[in-house]
Amino acid sequence: MKEGSNRRLASLACLLGLSLILYTIESQLPPPVPLPGVKLGLANIITLVTMVLFGRKSAFEVLILRILLSSILTGSGIGLLYSMAGGVFCFVLMAVLFPAAREQLWAVSMLGAIAHHAGQLAAAAVVTGSWAVFSYLPILTVAGMITGCFTGLCAMFCLKRWNQRWEK
């Protein structure tokens, strides 16, 4: 391996670790609102930062590893299904939007959060055998707009600080 690839691998490993830390912290916090399925999605900050710094492929790898490792750590098999469905839906939409909206990560994140909820509801529909779960989508859409905007702004702030640090 070259020094550059070692540095890249170490950076991606650190980002994966940060995403697991944020996931763990968030799982210990009370929900922002008392509605099932609504959380901030702090680990998505790292997905967005990774997408900007290392590209979509690396961001997808960090996302999938974070979902797998967090599911192993929590021992939640059904959680893996919902997290994977939501994460993949979210990532696909963000990856498509990213090239055109790179400077508006808050919007990419907001739409990604809505897609995340849609993916989780799709998984729930498969598990329950009922499409009635989608009646909850309007509530989750509003929540996704707020939380997704927040995580996108956090990612933009992190990247601004990153750039300031390395421009010196």
Side-chain angles (χ1 to χ4, degrees), residues 8 12 15 44-60 91 94-95 98-99 101-106 108 152 155-160 162-163:
R8 178 182 177 88
L12 291 171
L15 288 166
N44 196 48
I45 296 167
I46 304 303
T47 304
L48 289 163
V49 167
T50 306
M51 194 177 292
V52 170
L53 296 177
F54 295 98
R56 292 179 282 192
K57 180 179 181 250
S58 293
F60 186 70
F91 183 82
M94 290 193 319
F98 177 71
R102 185 181 183 118
E103 301 301 316
Q104 287 84 30
L105 285 182
W106 63 270
V108 171
M156 291 174 70
F157 175 79
C158 290
L159 288 162
K160 181 179 178 183
W162 175 273
N163 290 335

Side-chain angles (χ1 to χ4, degrees), residues 2 9 22 31 46 59 64 69 71 73 100:
K2 297 179 191 170
L9 182 60
L22 288 174
I46 304 303
I64 295 301
L69 290 171
S71 294
L73 293 172

Side-chain angles (χ1 to χ4, degrees), residues 46 77 87 89 94 109 111 119 127 142 145-146 154 157 159 161 164:
I46 304 303
F89 270 55
M94 290 193 319
S109 179
L111 294 171
V127 168
V142 172
M145 291 171 69
I146 296 165
C154 288
F157 175 79
L159 288 162
R161 298 292 297 157
Q164 288 173 348

Side-chain angles (χ1 to χ4, degrees), residues 25-99:
I25 290 170
E26 184 173 4
S27 70
Q28 302 302 309
L29 297 174
V33 292
L35 295 171
V38 177
K39 31 188 264 189
L40 291 173
L42 297 177
N44 196 48
I45 296 167
I46 304 303
T47 304
L48 289 163
V49 167
T50 306
M51 194 177 292
V52 170
L53 296 177
F54 295 98
R56 292 179 282 192
K57 180 179 181 250
S58 293
F60 186 70
E61 293 166 349
V62 168
L63 169 72
I64 295 301
L65 286 170
R66 195 246 326 140
I67 292 170
L68 290 172
L69 290 171
S70 62
S71 294
I72 289 169
L73 293 172
T74 61
S76 175
I78 196 74
L80 172 63
L81 172 69
Y82 290 121
S83 292
M84 194 63 76
V88 169
F89 270 55
C90 173
F91 183 82
V92 167
L93 183 60
M94 290 193 319
V96 167
L97 295 173
F98 177 71

